[in-house]
């Protein structure tokens, strides 16, 4: 079956995505040849993006974070838009994403489980006051709240646990899906990567530029760009049908 035929038949699609979903929006992923992890830093990005580094070297963390993790000019691409349309058309139950960029919501998706949090939520560690990402972007040094506390992004850093209610929602969605589309992820970041094992439906589809550990278990594997693969499919919205 083609991807179009699978989506045509499906009524409860769940999309499980990673950094590769946003590369066509100009945001580098981590592990591709041109990804962030292949660039040379004095301290590896995996270390900088850890909780222990955040608390011990807050200023250095923020120098990297403001420079590399706040792509506030990026716009949703064809993949984000198509998924939002499928949700409106009643075909898609939820998006489960490892991304922190908020582009699914920017495209109009409503039910989005952000396993690793979001750059758009930032809270004071002392009083809990919230700040937008644009505020973080224009700060220098350590971003401090009006109360003097350090402001921290609600992004799940290495060594931090995922939010229990987000895990619950994501696993419920995946285990009740008829089709799971896994895309733009190397499936190497745990526990997120293990969530695809909760799928019990009919069609497991993988769309990823490079091979992944899941390739051998899928109904359909497309080694393509996810924006191109989804962009050419119908929206299944009634206003689009002649
Ligand atoms: P990853 O960098 O480990 O792997 C990305 C995968 O996507 C690669 O296998 C690559 O072949 C594939 N890919 C890249 N562009 C693609 C495209 N256009 N179409 C199809 N496939 C494409 O990413 P990951 O598995 O998501 O793990 C990285 C972690 O980094 C995640 O936890 C995520 O939170 C974080 N991250 C997020 C962003 C973001 O929010 N946009 C960006 C970088 C990293």
């Amino acid at each position: 079956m083609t991807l179009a035929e699978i989506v045509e038949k499906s009524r409860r699609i769940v999309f499980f995505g990673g950094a590769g979903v946003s590369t066509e929006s100009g945001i580098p992923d981590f592990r591709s040849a041109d990804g962030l992890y292949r660039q040379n830093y004095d301290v590896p990005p995996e270390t900088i993006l850890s909780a222990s580094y955040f608390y011990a070297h807050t200023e250095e963390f923020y120098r990297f974070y403001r420079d590399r993790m706040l792509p506030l000019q990026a716009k949703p691409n064809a993949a984000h838009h198509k998924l939002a349309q499928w949700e409106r058309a009643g075909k898609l139950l939820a998006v489960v994403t490892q991304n922190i960029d908020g582009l699914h919501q920017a495209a109009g998706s409503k039910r989005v489980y952000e396993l690793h949090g979001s750059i758009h939520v930032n809270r004071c560690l002392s009083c809990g006051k919230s700040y937008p990402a644009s505020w973080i972007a224009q700060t220098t040094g350590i971003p401090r709240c009006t109360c003097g506390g350090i402001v921290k992004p609600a992004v799940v850093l290495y060594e931090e646990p995922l939010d229990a209610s987000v895990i619950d929602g994501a696993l419920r969605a995946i285990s009740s899906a008829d089709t799971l589309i896994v895309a733009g992820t190397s499936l190497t970041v745990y526990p997120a990567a293990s969530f695809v094992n909760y799928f019990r439906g009919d069609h497991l589809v993988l769309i990823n530029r490079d091979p992944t550990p899941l390739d051998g278990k899928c109904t359909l594997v497309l080694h393509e760009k996810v924006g191109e693969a989804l962009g050419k499919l119908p929206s299944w919205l009634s206003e689009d049908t002649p």
Side-chain angles (χ1 to χ4, degrees):
M1 271 169 106
T2 65
L3 180 56
E5 288 165 345
I6 291 173
V7 177
E8 167 79 54
K9 278 186 177 306
S10 303
R11 293 289 170 271
R12 297 189 313 280
I13 299 170
V14 169
F15 181 88
F16 180 95
V21 176
S22 292
T23 55
E24 288 162 85
S25 294
I27 304 175
D29 62 11
F30 277 177
R31 291 178 187 78
S32 290
D34 53 353
L36 217 49
Y37 284 2
R38 306 285 175 94
Q39 300 169 20
N40 280 330
Y41 293 100
D42 294 343
V43 182
E46 295 97 318
T47 305
I48 301 177
L49 296 171
S50 66
S52 48
Y53 193 88
F54 176 86
Y55 291 106
H57 307 278
T58 314
E59 190 159 352
E60 289 88 340
F61 169 91
Y62 266 113
R63 204 174 304 137
F64 177 87
Y65 183 82
R66 272 190 292 261
D67 199 28
R68 296 289 170 178
M69 306 298 291
L70 281 180
L72 298 182
Q73 312 305 322
K75 300 271 182 289
N77 63 48
H80 301 105
H81 287 299
K82 192 55 54 82
L83 295 167
Q85 289 166 351
W86 289 353
E87 184 182 35
R88 275 176 26 231
K91 278 195 159 295
L92 182 128
L93 279 185
V95 169
V96 178
T97 183
Q98 300 167 84
N99 293 347
I100 55 176
D101 54 36
L103 290 183
H104 286 292
Q105 292 90 333
S109 284
K110 301 290 181 226
R111 186 166 297 174
V112 182
Y113 296 105
E114 294 175 303
L115 298 177
H116 295 156
S118 172
I119 59 170
H120 296 287
V121 181
N122 302 277
R123 288 196 198 91
C124 171
L125 292 174
S126 299
C127 73
K129 184 173 174 187
S130 287
Y131 291 87
S134 55
W135 179 83
I136 297 282
Q138 52 87 39
T139 57
T140 51
I142 300 174
R144 291 211 176 257
C145 179
T146 46
C147 80
I150 296 173
V151 178
K152 182 180 179 293
V155 162
V156 179
L157 299 174
Y158 290 104
E159 303 160 2
E160 289 182 329
L162 308 193
D163 182 280
S165 65
V166 176
I167 296 179
D168 186 55
L171 294 184
R172 278 173 197 269
I174 291 170
S175 54
S176 63
D178 55 7
T179 292
L180 181 66
I181 302 177
V182 178
T185 173
S186 60
L187 291 170
T188 52
V189 177
Y190 281 83
S194 65
F195 286 15
V196 300
N197 298 329
Y198 285 77
F199 177 61
R200 297 279 171 270
D202 304 323
H203 301 287
L204 180 56
V205 177
L206 186 102
I207 311 170
N208 206 61
R209 244 175 18 197
D210 298 305
T212 78
L214 199 65
D215 287 25
K217 298 181 186 150
C218 294
T219 327
L220 178 68
V221 175
L222 302 173
H223 287 149
E224 292 177 24
K225 288 186 170 183
V226 58
E228 290 178 8
L230 297 191
K232 60 191 176 204
L233 297 183
S235 71
W236 279 283
L237 284 166
S238 51
E239 63 250 39
D240 284 359
T241 46

